[in-house]
Amino acid sequence: MKLYAAELDFSDVAREFQVEREFPPNLVEEARSARDQFAAHRRDLRDIDFVTIDPVGSKDLDQAVYITEKGDCLEVWYAIADVGAFVRPGMGLYDEALRRGQTIYLPDEPARLYPPELSEGSASLLPGVDRPAVCWRMLVDAAGEVQEYDLSRATVRSRAQLDYVNAHHPSIDLLPRLGSLRRASSLRRKAVNLSLPDTRVHRLDDGKYELILEPRNQAMDDNSEVSLMAGMVAGAMMAEWGHGYLRTLHPAPEEALEAFATELASLGLTFDPRSEVGVFLASVDPTTVTGMAVHKEAAKLLRGADYLFLDTKPAVIHAGVGGMYAHVTAPLRRLVDRYATEYCLARAEGRAPESWAREDAEAVIDTMRRTSQRANTVDNACIRLTEATVLQPWVGTTFDALVLKTNEEKNTAKIMLSQPPIISTDLVGSPAEGDTTPVTLVTADPAEREIAFAWPAD
């Protein structure tokens, strides 16, 4: 779920959580002068009509795709920006990336993993220019399963930069078909696919703000399936080898499934904790306020995701995707993708991974854990700031709220408003779960990022 609120100022959030948005001049210059170290050893795939699909205005383009038919199968070509060709041991950028871990997306401006000279320039798969890439080729059968794959370093040239609203190009005419096949596969794998809508903050003529749930575009979900598929191929590849970097998640515990069922009952929905979460979510429209609440609450079932370095430790599946999984498709934005990709390339080429990929393992895992926690904390702070800003003019106003969960011991409750579309844990009072009841907004302080409702309503 992304929050678009560029008109608001999130610099205080960045400062509070020590999120660095700038790079020192020496690293900017290093990024500007970095060159492809494998230029002489690449396949020439510039004849393939790759295209990129990203949010409007994006410049850090990690992935480009081309899909064609091959017999009864779909042949998917998936080019990933080859950051490892630019960022090498001994460089300041190498050490800085190991410290930063990942791009942290504040709504107004990201705190990038690499300077824009690299991440939005020479390493980005921008249209109309030759770019170094790691290219996956995956053959997908009529059941949506990958029957064969290979990968290699290549030179590619994207033909077009598309966005999710205007994702129309001959290169991806088959993307909806692929997405449908892979979603069917995910249900067989008992995967849990979340479809959280993006939220946009709109400034009204009177200076107030409103929150708008944006429709979930099908091209976004279809494109995500390509990334998930490549990550599963990479994960299975490294798990079979017994070496590499996996993204892991244990199944949701019984008590979490029961709590999910209880909150759905408050929404008037029935969920059996013994049934398949993925099948249930596929039946819920996430573009409605209620559907948003369902998918947002389902996200709690995916808590505990972690990174694992395969060497002496056994492989662990990712319960959310229903199989082995690895992060390999966003190296411009995530540190671990560069390391996992190196292991995949080594396996494909029948060689040992470069020494840095093994020697940095502990630091990579620690950094990804630390910065993932920071990214979540920053996301929550940005949401709190935005919701407090939207609600500030309405202090003293009574809203109809649906009570999702009550804690009688603490005299608090979690509520959902339909307009603005907000789920809040800040109600003082303990109304009955499942009731729709008037509540009064008593606090909305953007500076402190505090919100409070009261029940009974004044």
Side-chain angles (χ1 to χ4, degrees), residues 49 58 69 72 91-92 112 173 185 201 216 237 253 341 383 411 422 436 443:
D49 293 340
S58 297
E69 290 182 305
D72 295 332
M91 296 175 65
R112 299 174 180 86
D173 282 346
S185 171
V201 180
R216 183 80 181 183
M237 186 180 189
T341 295
I383 290 171
N411 193 36
I422 288 175
T436 297
T443 301

Side-chain angles (χ1 to χ4, degrees), residues 67-277:
I67 307 172
T68 188
E69 290 182 305
K70 187 173 183 179
D72 295 332
C73 297
L74 295 179
E75 188 173 49
V76 182
W77 293 84
Y78 201 39
I80 307 299
D82 191 358
V83 180
F86 294 94
V87 180
R88 308 296 297 167
M91 296 175 65
L93 286 175
Y94 182 97
D95 295 333
E96 183 70 2
L98 196 55
R99 186 178 69 84
R100 292 195 178 215
Q102 59 188 290
T103 295
I104 294 181
Y105 286 95
L106 292 94
D108 53 350
E109 181 186 356
R112 299 174 180 86
L113 176 60
Y114 300 105
E117 288 77 7
L118 183 70
S119 60
E120 299 180 359
S122 57
S124 178
L125 303 182
L126 298 167
V129 291
D130 294 350
R131 285 292 185 260
V134 174
C135 191
W136 295 83
R137 185 190 66 87
M138 296 166 284
L139 201 62
V140 182
D141 66 19
E145 306 302 333
V146 178
Q147 292 302 312
E148 65 178 55
Y149 65 87
D150 57 58
L151 75 158
S152 59
R153 281 193 154 103
T155 300
V156 302
R157 175 176 285 214
S158 171
R159 299 301 194 267
Q161 180 177 351
L162 310 177
D163 59 66
Y164 295 123
V165 177
N166 300 296
H168 308 292
H169 193 279
S171 295
I172 55 168
D173 282 346
L174 296 170
L175 180 59
R177 179 173 152 194
L178 176 68
S180 178
L181 291 175
R182 290 300 296 174
R183 280 187 288 277
S185 171
S186 75
L187 293 178
R188 292 194 298 272
R189 299 191 310 268
K190 302 180 180 180
V192 179
N193 287 334
L194 299 180
S195 296
L196 290 169
D198 294 332
T199 304
R200 186 173 297 277
V201 180
H202 178 241
R203 186 181 177 91
L204 302 173
D205 293 339
D206 59 5
K208 296 177 182 177
Y209 294 88
E210 65 176 345
L211 291 178
I212 300 172
L213 294 182
E214 297 205 323
R216 183 80 181 183
N217 194 287
Q218 190 61 53
M220 183 183 300
D221 291 336
D222 293 338
N223 196 43
S224 294
E225 290 293 343
V226 184
S227 179
L228 283 169
M229 181 171 66
M232 291 191 71
V233 170
M237 186 180 189
M238 288 184 283
E240 180 184 1
W241 191 21
H243 303 283
Y245 292 80
L246 293 184
R247 182 67 164 160
T248 66
L249 177 68
H250 293 287
E254 183 178 343
E255 55 269 25
L257 291 168
E258 291 176 351
F260 181 57
T262 298
E263 294 206 357
L264 292 192
S266 299
L267 294 167
L269 301 173
T270 301
F271 171 72
D272 183 347
R274 296 166 297 180
S275 63
E276 298 299 334
V277 177

